[in-house]
Amino acid sequence: MVLETKRMTIRDFEPADQGDLHEILGDPQTMAFSEPPYSPAQTRSFLMDFCIGRRAAQAAALKESGKVIGYLLFKPLGRKEWEIGWFFNRRYWRQGLAFEAGAALVDWAFQELGAQTITAETADLVKSAGLMQKLGMTPEGRDAAGLACYSLSAQGWRRMKKYSSF
C-alpha cells in the first residue's frame, strides 16, 4: 500500500527503516502510555516480525526527506473491521501530521477496502483520545485492560465527510 498526503507518504515498512523506527519506539516520552521503550534489538525484531512479516503496520515518511516519522498500526480485526493506532517521532508532534496520516488511512479504509468499522484504543486520554475524536471516532467504553476504546462506522464516516472538509 502507498498513500500520499500533503506532507507524507504512507507505505510499507522496509528493513532500512530500523533507525527511524527506533527513534520513535525507543523514546521514553513517546512510549509513556504504551510499553517500556524498545532497545535497538527489540525494534529490529518488531520491525521484521510485525511490521514487515505480518504487514500489520505502515510507515509515515516525510515526502521532503523520506525520513520515517510515524508508525501506523493498521490491521484487520475481521472481514470489515480494522484497527488503527499510531506513534510519531516526538520531534514532529503538534504539527498535525498524526491527524493527516490517520485521516488518509481512515478514508482509504472506507473508500477502498469497504471497511464497516474502524476501532482504536488508548491509555492516553488527552493526545491520542483527542486525535481519535478529531478523526470522528466516538468513545465505546473501556476494554478488559482498562484502555479507552473508540470506533467509527462507515455510516458515521459518510455523515462526517458530508459536513466537513476532512
Side-chain angles (χ1 to χ4, degrees), residues 1 3 10 12 50-51 54-58 72-86 102 104-121 132 135 137-138 140 149-154:
M1 168 218 315
L3 299 176
I10 299 169
D12 292 335
F50 185 79
C51 299
R54 290 178 50 196
R55 300 188 74 190
Q58 303 297 311
L72 301 166
L73 172 72
F74 190 67
K75 67 176 187 170
L77 296 177
R79 230 183 71 180
K80 298 283 184 177
E81 184 177 359
W82 293 78
E83 180 181 12
I84 189 172
W86 48 82
L105 278 177
V106 165
D107 285 351
W108 185 71
F110 287 122
Q111 291 173 339
E112 303 299 325
L113 300 178
Q116 290 300 308
T117 306
I118 296 177
T119 64
E121 60 186 23
M132 290 171 190
L135 289 169
M137 303 180 98
T138 56
E140 300 291 336
C149 299
Y150 287 76
S151 71
L152 177 62
S153 68

Side-chain angles (χ1 to χ4, degrees), residues 122-139:
T122 187
D124 177 357
L125 300 179
V126 178
K127 293 185 296 293
S128 286
L131 178 54
M132 290 171 190
Q133 291 172 3
K134 189 174 179 180
L135 289 169
M137 303 180 98
T138 56

Side-chain angles (χ1 to χ4, degrees), residues 22-162:
H22 185 66
E23 285 182 31
I24 299 165
L25 301 180
D27 179 54
Q29 192 172 348
T30 299
M31 300 300 284
F33 291 98
S34 183
E35 42 192 295
Y38 285 25
S39 69
Q42 287 172 307
T43 299
R44 175 151 183 78
S45 177
F46 181 75
L47 172 67
M48 299 308 293
D49 298 342
F50 185 79
C51 299
I52 295 173
R54 290 178 50 196
R55 300 188 74 190
Q58 303 297 311
L62 291 173
K63 283 184 178 179
E64 282 183 357
S65 63
K67 179 176 183 57
V68 173
I69 61 161
Y71 156 86
L72 301 166
L73 172 72
F74 190 67
K75 67 176 187 170
L77 296 177
R79 230 183 71 180
K80 298 283 184 177
E81 184 177 359
W82 293 78
E83 180 181 12
I84 189 172
W86 48 82
F87 290 111
F88 272 74
N89 185 312
R90 185 166 35 105
R91 293 184 306 203
Y92 297 90
W93 288 1
R94 310 224 26 96
Q95 297 178 38
L97 291 159
F99 174 76
E100 186 176 319
L105 278 177
V106 165
D107 285 351
W108 185 71
F110 287 122
Q111 291 173 339
E112 303 299 325
L113 300 178
Q116 290 300 308
T117 306
I118 296 177
T119 64
E121 60 186 23
T122 187
D124 177 357
L125 300 179
V126 178
K127 293 185 296 293
S128 286
L131 178 54
M132 290 171 190
Q133 291 172 3
K134 189 174 179 180
L135 289 169
M137 303 180 98
T138 56
E140 300 291 336
R142 294 195 179 259
D143 67 9
L147 298 174
C149 299
Y150 287 76
S151 71
L152 177 62
S153 68
Q155 181 181 5
W157 173 79
R158 283 189 296 274
R159 188 171 39 251
M160 183 180 62
K161 292 300 279 186
K162 183 176 179 180

